[in-house]
Amino acid sequence: MKTPVSVLRLPSGPEPNSRGFDPSSPRFTALCSSSSSDDDDDDEEQQRLRSELRQRFLWTLSLMKHKLVQFDMHERVRMRARFGASDLDVLRLQVSELETPLGVQREALVRSQDVLACSFEL
Amino acid sequence: MSPVSMAMRQTPLTCSGHTRPVVDLAFSGITPYGYFLISACKDGKPMLRQGDTGDWIGTFLGHKGAVWGATLNKEATKAATAAADFTAKVWDAVTGDEVLTLAHKHIVKSVNFTQDSNCLLTGGNDKVLRIYDLSKPEAEPQEIAGHTSAIKKALWCNNDQQILSAAEDKTIRLWDKNTKEAVKTLSFDASVSSMEYIPDGEILVITYGRTIAFYKANSLDLIKTVDAPASIHSASLHPEKDFFVAGGDDFKLYKYDYTTREEMESYKGHFGPIHCVRFSPDGELYASGSEDGTLRLWQTAVGKTYGLWKCVLPEELSSENSEILYCPPAEIKA
């Protein structure tokens, strides 16, 4: 029986909360011009705006709980369902009584990337 | 093959992170910081990885649909992606920032930089090849029409003076960039599933059905064909042209001797059909992308110390000074 080749470790995977491109990496520091304080201010402002948008998004998700939500999908499909929860990466949405063109699904997971828009009454 | 290689079993390195099928991948050239790998995924988030280890560097965020094609320039300073959101995007591959969005009229399937990175070639479902001058991005692209179905792949060749394109109309066409005329057309019985251009030697590698075919890129004269046991989606020729690898529907990777056309090895590992496979620029490894959502790195010379693989002689395995942290378990047969 052949011996499998040994490895030092497995390739590292993506960080959950970052898009990567580490600014402290040798390649980044060598190839990118150093940022001026103006850039830093812009970055801070952008970060503040992003945080605000993210907060609003998370609040919206929590407000949606138990509400009747309308999902707009491709091919002009509209479905209504009672919203339950989203998973951590907002990849799947847990819903109940999902009204689909094929009938009502008591419990379902909707793939969030397939949803064009969703709306609900506050 | 060395005696060590013959005694060792291939340990592929799995790169996880994508959540949907990986449909395209490309390597950069060799840079002072090593070489890099970009993967296109139906989850819309192409990723950049260090080429020799598979370590994730960053994710290009911005596309709103499946990414069908991805490429890097030689220096790995720019990336380009083609997506189902009807755009091709150009990215700064060092910072991950989006640099340019090029709107198209339909799904974009393929992107390719010229050697000087100044022009970008795109092709997709609207059947038109487009050439963008990246120094004048607001200017209208040059267009080359002729294909009668969606374009799957478009590549620069012959010192960026000609263009090779493969489409669902079951043809491969060679175009002159200046006259925009088709210089030669190849017709097939089946749709071409992949195309790779090797500038050194001007070789074109194409796959269709179970066949891997090699052509002279400037004349489209056939060099040779090889038939595999299963339908092949992608193949890649080693830089030194001694082997080629191919993968497809049966989830396996096949390694062939280019000269004798004999199958040398086959490797299991993926849990879905293989969509793309490419050799690294130094030929030491090849990467495969699959329907199972992973990229895997495979050694060309199994057992050699390279990247994360470590050649361990039997005596070393039991040595107290061994630095090996991970030895894969014996394969469990399903």
Side-chain angles (χ1 to χ4, degrees), chain A residues 3 5 7 9 12 19 21 27, chain B residues 9 11 55 57 76 93 96 326:
Chain A
T3 322
V5 178
V7 296
R9 58 172 174 81
S12 58
R19 69 177 177 124
F21 299 101
R27 193 168 91 115
Chain B
R9 200 176 74 231
T11 302
D55 287 338
I57 292 173
Y326 179 77

Side-chain angles (χ1 to χ4, degrees), chain A residues 58-67 83 120-122:
Chain A
L58 293 172
W59 274 119
T60 308
L61 280 183
S62 66
L63 278 172
M64 269 166 69
K65 195 175 177 67
H66 299 317
K67 294 246 177 17
F83 186 80
F120 64 102
E121 303 269 349
L122 274 172

